[in-house]
Amino acid sequence: MNGVELRNVTKAYAGLTVMENINLQIADGDFLVLLGPSGCGKSTLLNMIAGLEPTTGGSIHINGRDVTGLEPDERDIAMVFQSYALYPTMSVRRNIGFGLKMRGMAKGEIEKRVAEVGELLQITPLLDRKPSQLSGGQQQRVAIGRALVREPSVFLFDEPLSNLDAKLRADMRIELKRLHERLGRTIVYVTHDQIEAMTLATKVVVLDKGSIQQVDTPENVYRRPANRFVASFVGAPTMNFIDGKLTHDGDDIVFDSGSGCLPLINVPAEIRDLIGRPMTLGARPEHMVFDDAGISSRVLLAEPTGPDQYVRLAVAGSELTARSGPEQIFKSGSDARILVDGARMTLFDPQSGQALLGS
Ligand code: ADP
Ligand code: MG
């Protein structure tokens, strides 16, 4: 298969296993994002694909070739790091072309490729500057240029935007997405930033403590989290979790937390099979609906963000966050009625944390 494949990859540092039996297929042309909290093993996984870190067990295949024992420069990959690691004494032009020169490529071909990459990244006017004469975003572009110029079949990025300020990060995100759409090359991209993952990825791999939690499209990772870890890691403000059980209230189904019953609307038929079983209800702030048919709650605080406001509520023995439009006024201490959109909520097994039904 073209693309990248990890088969039963294991990694231990000094006898301590940090990743076990990782199996992953990255299709040719995918923009695959490895997402997870600090220390979950993202860089370790990427470095094993790059050949910078040996695997302890299993094998890695790039475009159908077993590269497990090969050096980084034999793997047809190029990597971009968080630190740009540009050569300070060399011009941008030489920084970008240096790798090609080391491989003995003809001068004319190097010049042609550097010029093309310069155009693509819109850094042609900067080619004769030194790195110290560039902004952070421009330096990052040069680092990307150095990877592009090698024309590898797979690009590996380790948190490449983390050193940039928020505005520049958003701009570079768009550029990276365009670049991927234009080049169609396989990208494996590491980040702890869920917004980057959601906006860039064709496929997201959520990692926790060295193990894969879910491999899915960004939409599905958000809408159909496989377990409670994924549900809480992705989405801000975070999903609300309430322990309790589904029960009947006349013809309706409600969620009983033990201290109050949350009314549900749009309840899918399959949910009837789960009535009475202990579980955790997961509802994102936008799955909470202000409605006169809802349960009474007390407004603790309203947090306007511009287009929306997030309203913190004391309800059914819990503190929950609900999203509202900007117009309505929520005074602290006042009463608001709230219910849950049953079509979009997720239900979790309280012990394993696994999602019980997709929603
Ligand atoms: P991430 O990139 O997701 O923040 P890493 O891949 O850097 O995480 O680290 C994963 C785990 O492996 C962590 O528990 C980390 O402490 C451990 N680790 C990483 N590098 C080394 C190393 N060189 N020696 C020992 N343990 C390491
Ligand atoms: Mg890392």
Side-chain angles (χ1 to χ4, degrees):
M1 128 185 186
N2 273 353
V4 182
E5 193 179 351
L6 280 71
R7 294 189 197 151
N8 292 316
V9 169
T10 297
K11 178 68 184 175
Y13 287 110
L16 190 72
T17 302
V18 295
M19 310 202 98
E20 209 160 9
N21 283 325
I22 297 286
N23 286 289
L24 186 61
Q25 296 196 344
I26 306 170
D28 198 24
D30 257 352
F31 197 134
L32 182 117
V33 174
L34 299 171
L35 174 69
S38 179
C40 72
K42 304 180 295 294
S43 295
T44 299
L45 203 54
L46 199 73
N47 290 339
M48 287 192 290
I49 297 172
L52 298 170
E53 196 61 73
T55 53
T56 308
S59 60
I60 296 176
H61 306 255
I62 296 178
N63 291 340
R65 193 167 60 117
D66 186 342
V67 300
T68 315
L70 299 185
E71 293 297 317
D73 64 359
E74 299 169 319
R75 293 190 178 201
D76 198 15
I77 52 109
M79 190 146 169
V80 179
F81 299 92
Q82 179 177 349
S83 64
Y84 320 128
L86 302 177
Y87 303 108
T89 58
M90 291 186 196
S91 66
V92 167
R93 187 187 305 282
R94 284 187 61 209
N95 260 288
I96 295 177
F98 189 70
L100 302 182
K101 189 174 163 194
M102 293 306 284
R103 290 164 170 221
M105 186 178 279
K107 203 165 168 233
E109 176 65 15
I110 297 177
E111 281 172 11
K112 185 170 147 269
R113 286 205 194 179
V114 172
E116 279 170 9
V117 164
E119 283 300 306
L120 189 67
L121 294 171
Q122 298 170 352
I123 52 174
T124 304
L126 308 177
L127 287 176
D128 293 312
R129 290 201 196 165
K130 296 274 167 60
S132 62
Q133 298 168 299
L134 303 176
S135 70
Q138 289 168 336
Q139 289 184 27
Q140 185 53 275
R141 240 176 265 189
V142 176
I144 293 170
R146 203 168 42 180
L148 288 182
V149 79
R150 294 172 52 186
E151 301 182 0
S153 55
V154 181
F155 290 97
L156 306 174
F157 288 88
D158 194 346
E159 313 236 10
L161 307 185
S162 297
N163 286 346
L164 306 177
D165 65 44
K167 165 84 174 80
L168 205 52
R169 214 157 53 219
D171 292 347
M172 284 299 287
R173 228 165 44 210
I174 293 168
E175 282 191 31
L176 280 174
K177 190 158 181 159
R178 283 213 186 111
L179 205 59
H180 176 252
E181 283 176 2
R182 231 166 117 173
L183 300 175
R185 293 290 166 86
T186 310
I187 294 180
V188 187
Y189 185 105
V190 161
T191 184
H192 64 274
D193 179 345
Q194 44 141 342
I195 303 290
E196 262 174 44
M198 297 298 284
T199 52
L200 288 172
T202 55
K203 211 186 244 182
V204 180
V205 176
V206 185
L207 285 169
D208 183 35
K209 300 192 190 86
S211 73
I212 294 179
Q213 305 296 311
Q214 187 166 0
V215 182
D216 221 322
T217 61
E219 294 77 14
N220 282 345
V221 162
Y222 188 79
R223 289 194 196 150
R224 300 170 194 272
N227 59 42
R228 206 171 144 160
F229 175 81
V230 175
S232 61
F233 192 74
V234 176
T238 192
M239 186 182 266
N240 299 294
F241 296 102
I242 313 151
D243 292 325
K245 59 183 198 293
L246 296 164
T247 67
H248 284 287
D249 178 19
D251 288 343
D252 296 332
I253 298 174
V254 297
F255 191 81
D256 183 358
S257 76
S259 331
C261 287
L262 275 161
L264 306 173
I265 49 164
N266 307 326
V267 177
E270 317 89 86
I271 272 179
R272 293 184 179 274
D273 298 339
L274 300 174
I275 287 173
R277 172 175 167 178
M279 63 181 70
T280 304
L281 182 149
R284 298 199 183 279
E286 69 268 29
H287 305 161
M288 313 283 297
V289 184
F290 290 98
D291 190 296
D292 288 342
I295 184 178
S296 165
S297 74
R298 191 160 46 86
V299 175
L300 300 173
L301 193 77
E303 232 189 334
T305 65
D308 298 313
Q309 55 183 326
Y310 290 101
V311 187
R312 197 85 188 137
L313 303 165
V315 54
S318 304
E319 269 191 32
L320 308 177
T321 305
R323 188 181 73 180
S324 159
E327 294 82 14
Q328 204 175 333
I329 292 165
F330 292 93
K331 266 186 67 180
S332 299
S334 67
D335 188 81
R337 291 191 169 263
I338 192 91
L339 50 77
V340 173
D341 184 351
R344 294 190 290 163
M345 67 183 183
T346 311
L347 301 169
F348 301 95
D349 182 282
Q351 259 81 50
S352 69
Q354 296 301 307
L356 292 170
L357 286 174
S359 52

